[in-house]
Amino acid sequence: MTGAGPDVDWEKLRAVARDAMSRAYAPYSGYPVGVAALVDDGRIISGCNVENASYGLGLCAECGLVSELHNTGGGRLTHFTCVDRNGETLVPCGRCRQLLHEFGGPDLLLETPAGILPLSQMLPQAFGPDHLST
């Protein structure tokens, strides 16, 4: 599979995600999450979850990642990993899979407990920007 081989340093991505997780703000759930992604121009970006006393206003780590993507020049996500409070690989929630689809597309490679998978397998038949074009 393209991008799953030695040309992508998944351990480095996990290390960046773990570092981001260490700065998460999760006083209510006690469940910090960190994410990291490779961008098509070679940058590595990251994000962490930020909770809020009004639980529904909490931000998943992927929200911070996408904000950093645009704040540092835009581009497309090509490779993504997510870790929990123990630094173990997680899969993104459904909302975040949709967010990743918007900025990485169906070919975005995700590190999962089952191995490296394209987002198209994690979010089959996804709704995306192409459905809104006229």
Side-chain angles (χ1 to χ4, degrees):
M1 176 181 300
T2 303
D7 57 324
V8 173
D9 188 345
W10 288 100
E11 182 53 44
K12 181 175 181 179
L13 279 180
R14 278 191 304 280
V16 172
R18 288 180 187 120
D19 184 54
M21 179 271 300
S22 74
R23 290 186 298 281
Y25 179 72
Y28 307 107
S29 71
Y31 199 78
V33 175
V35 297
L38 185 63
V39 182
D40 58 1
D41 64 6
R43 282 177 293 143
I44 293 178
I45 58 173
S46 63
C48 62
N49 59 322
V50 177
E51 295 179 348
N52 185 283
S54 176
Y55 293 155
L57 295 180
L59 299 173
C60 292
E62 291 83 351
C63 295
L65 179 98
V66 168
S67 181
E68 184 173 336
L69 174 68
H70 283 276
N71 191 42
T72 60
R76 297 293 287 171
L77 303 174
T78 62
H79 300 78
F80 172 89
T81 193
C82 180
V83 299
D84 66 13
R85 65 178 146 217
N86 298 316
E88 300 297 321
T89 304
L90 283 176
V91 294
C93 70
R95 172 183 178 252
C96 290
R97 292 177 198 190
Q98 184 66 42
L99 189 62
L100 292 171
H101 183 270
E102 182 88 12
F103 299 99
D107 296 328
L108 171 62
L109 294 177
L110 280 70
E111 182 178 38
T112 77
I116 308 301
L117 298 172
L119 184 56
S120 61
Q121 286 186 26
M122 301 295 295
L123 188 65
Q125 300 183 40
F127 179 84
D130 292 342
H131 291 98
L132 299 175
S133 61
T134 55

